[in-house]
Amino acid sequence: MAGAREGAAERVPAAGDVLADRYLVERVLQGGMGVVCLGRDLATGRSVAVKSPLPGREGDIELRRAFLQEATVWSRIPPHPHIVAVERLFRDGPDDLPSLVLEFVAAAPGYDDASLAARVRRHGRLPLGEALGYALDVARGMGHAARSVHGFVHRDLKPGNILITADGTAKVTDFGIAVAYRSIGAEVLIHDARWADGAGTPYYMAPEQWESGRGVDLRTDVYAFAAIVHELLTGRPVVTGSNMWELCGAHVSGQAARVPLPESWPAALRALVAACLATDPAGRPASWAEVERALEEAWSQAPELVRPVPGPRDAPAGAVRAEGPTERARAAFDFGVSADAIGDHVRAGHHYREALAHAEAAGDVRLQADAWERIGLGLRTAGRRGEALGCLDRAVALLREAGDRRALSGVLRSRAHVHGSLGRRDEARADAEEGVRLLEHEGDETDLTLARLTLARALLDAGRPGSARPYVEQALAWARAAGDRRLQADALADLGETDRMLGDLTAAADSFRRAVELSRSVADLFGVVRGLLHEGTVLLGSGADPGTVLARWYEGLELAHTCGFAPLYARLAHRLAELLDTRARTRRQLGEHEVALGLARRAVRAYRELDGGDGGPAAAAMDLAFQLERRRDLLRAHPGFAEPGAVRAEFVRGAAFVEKTARRFTGDRSHG
């Protein structure tokens, strides 16, 4: 983001900024989920709209997930005359989330914007031919989206999300809460159930969107479509209400299905709108093709419409998105990086495998190596370290053959981390040292700093904190000067480990605390969990209040479980079980022992699922679980010996976690 790169995560782009060294910003529109910059493509001179996520802020992870979902769904819809086209996807700035370059639709003279809503505001109801023309366009565009992305549901179809071009073509836009299912093998690529209920605009929301637990499908959009058609032809919403709850009641009670439809409408149109507004989705058309056929019949029945039914339009001439295997590989890879950035590593893995397939078809060695590396790192995060090494070995071989020193250094860094996690200290140090040598004369300070930091970690793993410290301090100084918060967080975590090994627990705790804060600021959830684990460990060793330590570890455990950070999850469950065991021993309270036992069992299960079982820690967790089980059984067998009363506050969060995960944890007899 030239002109806006420094501090890019802190502010919204402004007029005059140039995004990705190509898109000149002329006007900025900010919404709840993103920023739309209207401007000019300096490479082509064309007007464009660039939609980007809101700048990173602590606590905004759900909005960023939603933006990534929108970008994923929208970019998978091939160009169509009735869908606002995604022309390009790029990543710019430190947060690794994508920006979408969109087809620009200018407002026609006399309207305040290009939306269909602007025409309704100005004219009230529209002539039959104009309304039916827009309806046909929307039905065809929605049908194309549904055919292109399996299970596609827009869920916020409304006049404001339909744009009208200068020649009167309607185009569907804004897929911010769209949901889709698309399988790659047996896995679901796109779906976020957290947005499944209550998302939409009240005047157009189908009854099932108002009721928690009810699913949505294509027929949900069909209902909204009929509400739009009714409004275009009458100038009135299909339901009435002065607030959201009254509108909810109107939809759920079937007010839309009972609304009288004008006799002046063609019979086929009355029948279509009535069917689409059925309260029960089973009564609505099940495909957009069915809707399109009914609209064409309605057009033919209208005596005032003397010209033939408008046929499908040609693909838009302005759609410049490339569709070759290399371009598809890059787009899929960028989505994978973006998914990684918000902690959605399962989705990221699907994108990387898709990128690998396209890169192999294109014969692009560098993209193949990048995909193998990212797949390997995802497997490492999931605890499948042997498989991760195999993927990284493939990447190393490809890059050695290609002679790409800079990229090879990066993969060697990744492989060094995996070797280190497996206790292979010599292999880790060898990879890290080669990574540094490859870059010493390349002039890229960022990559060289990363390579030196990797070498520092290898030295820490080898028990040489004094040798590691200069590399860590050098990396931290460079990251601060460059304003790279993610790298600062990594360096601070390593500085904390260095200080811990050297015996300065106060300095170590402070470094880990700052690492957590910086990781939060860039939504690096892996960094947050890692920092919480180590900060809690240092605080406990320095005699801090156990409640403070428990708060850190509980948060880390919950995040690790949600994000699938298997090795960190195992360690946090183990540490919590150990600490709660020491606390439970001060009382003979059955519930407290059961909480500690539940966490110990989860640690055992997690260690077992790591390839190699993680050796000593797994055995220690099994021994702890055995001891806790014996004490639990003793308290059950002698209830008079157990102390009455509820568990103490420090056990409540652990009890909730054990209960939440009980159904997935079949080995827990006490909570399952």
Side-chain angles (χ1 to χ4, degrees):
M1 189 183 292
R5 185 177 297 279
E6 184 176 355
E10 287 84 15
R11 72 174 183 87
V12 171
D17 287 343
V18 178
L19 309 181
D21 298 320
R22 177 169 173 175
Y23 303 102
L24 175 64
V25 177
E26 296 174 342
R27 184 183 174 200
V28 178
L29 308 174
Q30 185 170 340
M33 287 174 56
V35 178
V36 176
C37 298
L38 306 180
R40 186 160 43 88
D41 182 348
L42 297 176
T44 65
R46 298 173 60 245
S47 295
V48 294
V50 179
K51 186 165 186 177
S52 306
L54 287 169
R57 299 188 307 271
E58 182 176 339
D60 69 353
I61 191 68
E62 294 303 330
L63 287 178
R64 300 177 77 199
R65 284 182 186 274
F67 184 90
L68 177 59
Q69 177 167 297
E70 174 183 26
T72 306
V73 173
W74 202 342
S75 68
R76 290 187 180 278
I77 302 173
H80 187 271
H82 303 304
I83 298 287
V84 171
V86 175
E87 299 185 352
R88 185 185 170 213
L89 177 146
F90 66 86
R91 288 182 289 116
D92 191 38
D95 288 342
D96 272 337
L97 283 179
S99 292
L100 299 174
V101 181
L102 304 172
E103 171 189 5
F104 179 73
V105 179
Y111 296 98
D112 50 4
D113 61 57
S115 72
L116 181 56
R119 296 181 181 242
V120 173
R121 286 194 298 269
R122 179 171 177 181
H123 302 294
R125 63 183 183 181
L126 303 181
L128 178 64
E130 184 178 358
L132 280 181
Y134 296 150
L136 275 165
D137 287 351
V138 171
R140 288 166 178 162
M142 292 295 292
H144 174 74
R147 290 189 299 272
S148 302
V149 182
H150 178 60
F152 171 82
V153 190
H154 189 293
R155 294 198 306 169
D156 197 20
L157 198 59
K158 60 184 179 181
N161 284 340
I162 299 167
L163 304 185
I164 310 300
T165 66
D167 68 354
T169 301
K171 292 175 175 280
V172 181
T173 189
D174 202 347
F175 297 82
I177 58 174
V179 66
Y181 297 85
R182 179 180 176 207
S183 295
I184 295 180
E187 302 292 339
V188 173
L189 172 64
I190 309 161
H191 178 234
D192 195 338
R194 282 165 293 197
W195 298 86
D197 300 317
T201 301
Y203 278 109
Y204 311 96
M205 288 170 60
E208 59 269 23
Q209 288 179 278
W210 294 96
E211 299 180 19
S212 178
R214 291 188 65 181
V216 297
D217 59 24
L218 177 149
R219 297 168 297 182
T220 302
D221 289 338
V222 165
Y223 182 97
F225 171 82
I228 294 168
V229 172
H230 179 278
E231 185 173 349
L232 295 183
L233 289 170
T234 65
R236 302 186 304 275
V238 73
V239 295
T240 58
S242 59
N243 56 55
M244 185 174 68
W245 305 116
E246 289 182 6
L247 291 170
C248 169
H251 285 291
V252 173
S253 68
Q255 183 185 113
R258 298 189 299 272
V259 69
L261 302 177
E263 290 294 327
S264 59
W265 290 7
L269 181 61
R270 290 200 307 275
L272 173 66
V273 171
C276 292
L277 292 174
T279 307
D280 184 350
R284 302 175 204 153
S287 73
W288 286 103
E290 186 178 345
V291 173
E292 183 181 351
R293 286 194 298 270
L295 290 169
E296 291 173 346
E297 183 179 356
W299 185 288
S300 300
Q301 290 175 351
E304 65 267 42
L305 303 180
V306 295
R307 62 188 178 95
V309 177
R313 298 174 184 259
D314 295 330
V320 298
R321 184 175 52 173
E323 290 295 332
T326 298
E327 289 74 19
R328 288 196 293 269
R330 286 175 178 155
F333 185 84
D334 280 345
F335 275 122
V337 174
S338 299
D340 267 339
I342 59 172
D344 196 340
H345 302 291
V346 173
R347 181 182 295 178
H350 296 317
H351 288 304
Y352 293 138
R353 292 186 184 279
E354 182 183 1
L356 177 62
H358 290 310
E360 288 174 341
D364 191 318
V365 172
R366 175 61 190 274
L367 271 175
Q368 290 178 55
D370 287 346
W372 276 120
E373 180 187 13
R374 289 285 185 160
I375 293 168
L377 292 177
L379 290 168
R380 175 207 173 198
T381 298
R384 296 158 61 183
R385 294 166 293 186
E387 294 174 72
L389 272 180
C391 294
L392 293 170
D393 288 344
R394 296 284 294 271
V396 167
L398 286 166
L399 292 171
R400 286 197 194 282
E401 181 181 348
D404 191 329
R405 296 170 62 89
R406 179 179 173 186
L408 176 58
S409 175
V411 178
L412 287 170
R413 292 198 304 268
S414 298
R415 196 170 69 173
H417 293 315
V418 179
H419 279 312
S421 70
L422 287 168
R424 300 175 179 175
R425 296 172 181 172
D426 291 341
E427 291 90 338
R429 189 171 65 254
D431 276 352
E433 288 173 344
E434 183 181 358
V436 172
R437 287 197 303 272
L438 287 167
L439 294 176
E440 282 179 330
H441 304 294
E442 293 293 312
D444 189 313
E445 193 63 32
T446 302
D447 285 345
L448 183 57
T449 299
L450 288 168
R452 287 170 173 160
L453 196 55
T454 301
L455 179 55
R457 290 171 183 165
L459 292 168
L460 289 171
D461 288 340
R464 297 167 57 187
S467 300
R469 190 178 191 95
Y471 292 111
V472 175
E473 291 177 339
Q474 185 179 25
L476 181 58
W478 187 89
R480 283 172 171 161
D484 189 327
R485 291 183 294 170
R486 191 180 294 268
L487 185 53
Q488 285 181 63
D490 288 343
L492 280 167
D494 287 339
L495 183 61
E497 182 62 12
T498 302
D499 287 330
R500 184 195 68 79
M501 295 177 71
L502 292 171
D504 190 344
L505 298 186
T506 301
D510 183 62
S511 292
F512 286 128
R513 177 187 57 77
R514 287 186 289 153
V516 170
E517 291 173 354
L518 284 166
S519 294
R520 287 191 202 278
S521 73
V522 294
D524 177 8
L525 297 184
F526 186 87
V528 171
V529 175
R530 178 190 59 194
L532 290 169
L533 168 64
H534 293 311
E535 184 188 4
T537 300
V538 171
L539 288 171
L540 186 65
S542 62
D545 174 41
T548 302
V549 177
L550 286 168
R552 304 291 196 280
W553 284 351
Y554 278 138
E555 182 184 359
L557 180 74
E558 291 159 359
L559 276 174
H561 177 261
T562 299
C563 297
F565 301 149
L568 291 173
Y569 173 73
R571 293 170 68 186
L572 282 158
H574 191 180
R575 297 283 177 85
L576 277 163
E578 288 177 328
L579 181 53
L580 291 176
D581 173 45
T582 62
R583 306 293 292 169
R585 290 184 189 209
T586 63
R587 292 181 70 196
R588 298 187 301 274
Q589 212 283 339
L590 177 60
E592 294 182 355
H593 282 78
E594 288 181 329
V595 172
L597 174 59
L599 290 169
R601 284 177 167 169
R602 280 152 182 77
V604 171
R605 173 68 61 86
Y607 281 135
R608 284 176 175 170
E609 290 176 351
L610 299 176
D611 42 356
D614 236 32
M622 289 179 66
D623 183 63
L624 176 62
F626 177 71
Q627 298 297 330
L628 281 163
E629 189 171 79
R630 289 185 61 186
R631 289 200 296 276
R632 189 275 316 267
D633 290 345
L634 180 65
L635 291 172
R636 282 182 172 178
H638 302 282
F641 182 69
E643 292 186 13
V647 300
R648 285 171 288 181
E650 62 205 73
F651 289 84
V652 170
R653 196 166 175 180
F657 181 82
V658 169
E659 181 64 30
K660 181 178 71 172
T661 57
R663 283 183 291 181
R664 301 181 186 176
F665 188 78
T666 57
D668 192 334
R669 298 192 300 274
S670 62
H671 290 274

